[in-house]
Amino acid sequence: MTELLFRADAYATEFEAEVLSAEAGRVMLDRTLFYPEGGGQPGDQGLFLLPDGRELRVQDTRKGAVPGDVAHHLADATLVLAPGIRIKGRIDWERRHRLMRMHTCLHLLSAVIVAPVTGGAVGDGYGRLDFDLPESPEREEVQEKLNALIQQDAPVSFRWISDAELDARPELVKTMSVQPPRGGGQVRLVEVEGIDLQPCGGTHVRRIGEIGTVFISKIEKKGKQNRRVRLEFPALATTINS
Ligand SMILES: [Zn+2]
């Protein structure tokens, strides 16, 4: 089991850990700040600093073969680290913060469009949610409502509830295709004050004002009952339109 340090503090960027096991190009640690791909959010990238001064690039983070393990994928796919050594880890914070902003923004979008969520994904600078909806919502109206919510700058907090409490409140689960993260009989509830409450194991900004301005780039029809809403941050919108 890897201790998931980002669950307690999504703003920490550096940590120390011990190598528990390693195979070519993959490293398992006793604890980590690297978020493993899941719940539509990509895995973190960053660096490992070894005791001998070497720097290793971590190019992806995934869930390990054993439940509860996190596998750090090294850019050097042939390297094997010795179990027992202590490393320092540093996540690519600028990328992670963009992912946190977009991930939190998708919580807000699920509050603006009141319909069951059938899927979603977060990328670096963009994201999408799929809704079970027969008609497309109006793009500019959704965009205005979303940006007005962001300007409210509501705080984001989390708390743990038991599996039994969650089972007693099925209305909290908005995403039909993704089961909430469970472990040890506890589920983490993420609350955007006054706006959204749902189980989520991802990383979020502390206040939604950090998200900044977003664009709805497209609302696509993906099947009779499915509408895909695509979001972008302005810098990326500029790149795509130029
Ligand atoms: Zn979330």
Side-chain angles (χ1 to χ4, degrees):
M1 283 280 276
T2 312
E3 187 188 350
L4 306 177
L5 301 172
F6 54 82
R7 285 272 170 87
D9 183 1
Y11 283 76
T13 59
E14 293 193 354
F15 65 106
E16 290 187 22
E18 182 182 328
V19 175
L20 289 188
S21 66
E23 30 195 275
R26 282 156 45 95
V27 182
M28 268 63 73
L29 303 172
D30 61 341
R31 57 212 294 270
T32 191
L33 278 177
F34 284 76
Y35 180 84
E37 182 185 69
Q41 184 174 329
D44 277 330
Q45 301 174 352
L47 287 177
F48 282 173
L49 310 170
L50 303 192
D52 63 11
R54 274 185 298 165
E55 283 192 1
L56 305 178
R57 207 168 78 75
V58 178
Q59 64 179 13
D60 198 6
T61 311
R62 299 287 181 95
K63 287 174 181 153
V66 178
D69 273 0
V70 173
H72 304 80
H73 292 236
L74 302 176
D76 182 348
T78 60
L79 193 77
V80 183
L81 288 186
I85 65 166
R86 290 196 68 79
I87 60 113
K88 283 184 184 163
R90 185 190 300 148
I91 61 168
D92 177 346
W93 168 248
E94 291 190 3
R95 176 177 178 273
R96 157 74 92 69
H97 191 235
R98 286 191 298 272
L99 295 173
M100 283 167 43
R101 286 164 55 214
M102 183 53 74
H103 177 110
T104 310
C105 191
L106 294 185
H107 282 249
L108 304 187
L109 183 62
S110 78
V112 168
I113 300 177
V114 183
V117 175
T118 54
V122 177
D124 188 359
Y126 56 92
R128 64 169 170 85
L129 277 187
D130 292 347
F131 292 92
D132 184 6
L133 267 181
E135 299 292 331
S136 275
E138 216 275 303
R139 190 187 69 84
E140 284 190 9
E141 191 186 321
V142 173
Q143 182 171 291
E144 270 175 32
K145 282 187 184 168
L146 190 57
N147 282 298
L149 269 190
I150 290 166
Q151 285 184 9
Q152 290 180 16
D153 197 25
V156 181
S157 60
F158 62 86
R159 62 180 184 271
W160 294 87
I161 62 168
S162 69
D163 286 353
E165 283 174 89
L166 182 68
D167 291 338
R169 297 181 67 187
E171 75 279 5
L172 290 176
V173 181
K174 292 186 175 182
T175 308
M176 294 153 70
S177 61
V178 180
Q179 279 302 305
R182 292 170 186 249
Q186 295 280 300
V187 181
R188 195 173 72 146
L189 275 189
V190 173
E191 178 167 30
V192 184
E193 193 178 281
I195 297 171
D196 184 57
L197 177 66
Q198 60 178 298
C200 187
T203 56
H204 308 86
V205 293
R206 289 183 185 123
R207 301 191 73 94
I208 60 175
E210 275 182 45
I211 295 168
T213 306
V214 289
F215 292 119
I216 307 278
S217 54
K218 228 184 239 175
I219 299 182
E220 297 171 288
K221 183 172 178 172
K222 291 273 173 189
K224 199 168 61 160
Q225 276 289 121
N226 199 36
R227 295 295 177 275
R228 175 166 292 175
V229 181
R230 293 186 180 277
L231 300 178
E232 284 175 11
F233 288 136
L236 195 73
T238 309
T239 316
I240 282 174
N241 293 336
S242 61

